[in-house]
Amino acid sequence: MTEPWPDHLFLVGCGNMAGQMLTRWLACGLAPARVTVLRPSGRPVAEGVQVVTSYPAALPRGATVLLGMKPYQLGEVAQALAPLCGGETTLISILAGTPLAELRRQFPNAGQIVRAMPNLPVGLGQGVTALHAESDSSPADRAAIAALIAPLGLAEWIADEALFNEVTALSGCGPAFLFRFVDALARAGEAIGLPADQAARMALATVQGSANMVAQASDSPAILADRVASPGGMTREGLNVLDADDRLCKLLTDTLRAARDRGEEMARGG
Ligand SMILES: NC(=O)c1ccc[n+]([C@@H]2O[C@H](COP(=O)([O-])OP(=O)(O)OC[C@H]3O[C@@H](n4cnc5c(N)ncnc54)[C@H](OP(=O)(O)O)[C@@H]3O)[C@@H](O)[C@H]2O)c1
């Protein structure tokens, strides 16, 4: 198998999100000497990774650029970076709410441009990254991106870019929703009489073990839930509460809708 790494990776910004991606790539064998990070603070990133505070005269040959700063900085970054980007430069943007058309407008001469929406567990190789490429991108270009993203966890190509706010609501915001669920399960255990620290440990281990189990199972989570709930038993009684009026599903639909709507509002400048 050919290696998944570009000749050179040039990161613009390396904060919470891009930092997690880089951590995982380095852990999976990307040579630090093939990485340059541009960040205004000049803070070191990892041993052997060059950190710069201003743009070089030219990008290294075959560079893939990852835009990892804040979306509002796109104009300022593009002014300095776009003249360095030619047809050989691949551009990956993780900027939330920034459409491909806007990226292409800012980087008219770049090679392929890909929009990516990762989530934080990419640092563990257990993230989700939604991807959307320009309509004229070649299968080889897409394969190169897929290979680079694969070490981060699940990669999903999104056919319709208009769904990016929905994707962000589910997998981008999802870790926070799961953190809430784990906390709520623990607090519910406490509410029915368990010691708080024990309930917290048990809630987390239950979610972790169950997620691993469902990931390995051939049945869907819906079927697994019913399989472990015998009629008249304790689990069934509990599920009846969650299932009544489809309340859990409605709650989560409302949750994703609120996040999605906020994304649309922000895209309109709100
Ligand atoms: N956090 C998430 O869960 C998440 C998920 C998906 C996508 N995203 C996207 O990821 C991007 C970064 O978010 P974040 O949470 O990682 O933000 P962050 O932690 O604040 O990181 C921002 C990075 O941008 C750098 N930076 C600041 N001004 C710059 C400039 N003028 N030119 C170049 N770089 C500059 C910062 O440099 P210093 O390090 O020197 O301060 C920092 O490394 C955003 O566009 C966001 O939409 C975030």
Side-chain angles (χ1 to χ4, degrees):
M1 203 182 106
T2 54
E3 61 165 29
W5 316 121
D7 290 343
H8 200 90
L9 190 61
F10 188 91
L11 278 77
V12 183
C14 193
N16 289 319
M17 195 63 240
Q20 290 296 316
M21 297 170 84
L22 180 59
T23 298
R24 178 66 184 167
W25 284 326
L26 293 171
C28 289
L30 171 62
R34 279 159 74 165
V35 182
T36 304
V37 168
L38 183 142
R39 68 192 309 191
S41 66
R43 268 197 302 275
V45 169
E47 200 167 333
V49 170
Q50 189 190 16
V51 176
V52 297
T53 54
S54 59
Y55 290 88
L59 289 174
R61 231 187 108 261
T64 288
V65 174
L66 180 80
L67 297 180
M69 68 296 169
K70 295 287 189 186
Y72 75 87
Q73 293 165 323
L74 177 62
E76 171 200 337
V77 166
Q79 205 172 17
L81 184 63
L84 312 182
C85 297
E88 294 294 299
T89 316
T90 293
L91 205 69
I92 302 173
S93 162
I94 62 168
L95 311 184
T98 308
L100 270 184
E102 174 60 9
L103 294 163
R104 178 50 75 192
R105 198 178 69 77
Q106 297 281 1
F107 294 90
N109 301 320
Q112 77 154 331
I113 303 183
V114 173
R115 192 171 166 191
M117 177 50 62
N119 68 6
L120 284 171
V122 292
L124 303 171
Q126 294 172 25
V128 175
T129 306
L131 297 165
H132 181 76
E134 290 171 300
S135 54
D136 61 354
S137 80
S138 69
D141 281 347
R142 283 176 190 238
I145 294 292
L148 178 62
I149 299 298
L152 306 180
L154 175 70
E156 287 281 337
W157 290 96
I158 307 298
D160 181 0
E161 191 183 8
L163 288 176
F164 251 67
N165 279 325
E166 283 76 358
V167 162
T168 307
L170 196 160
S171 60
C173 309
F177 303 152
L178 257 297
F179 299 156
R180 269 282 194 276
F181 179 84
V182 176
D183 184 55
L185 191 59
R187 286 195 290 144
E190 192 186 348
I192 61 168
L194 292 174
D197 61 330
Q198 227 166 20
R201 286 193 299 275
M202 290 165 70
L204 175 57
T206 300
V207 169
Q208 200 166 19
S210 308
N212 289 339
M213 191 179 155
V214 75
Q216 286 171 21
S218 49
D219 289 321
S220 70
I223 289 176
L224 278 184
D226 282 329
R227 184 163 300 151
V228 296
S230 22
M234 288 173 67
T235 309
R236 173 59 61 195
E237 272 316 292
L239 278 181
N240 287 346
V241 175
L242 282 180
D243 294 346
D245 304 321
D246 218 10
R247 57 161 67 138
L248 180 61
C249 191
K250 280 184 183 149
L251 178 65
L252 288 175
T253 307
D254 287 349
T255 303
L256 297 200
R257 238 181 227 135
R260 187 266 321 266
D261 291 353
R262 181 64 190 136
E264 289 177 355
E265 210 172 79
M266 288 192 296
R268 292 192 297 269

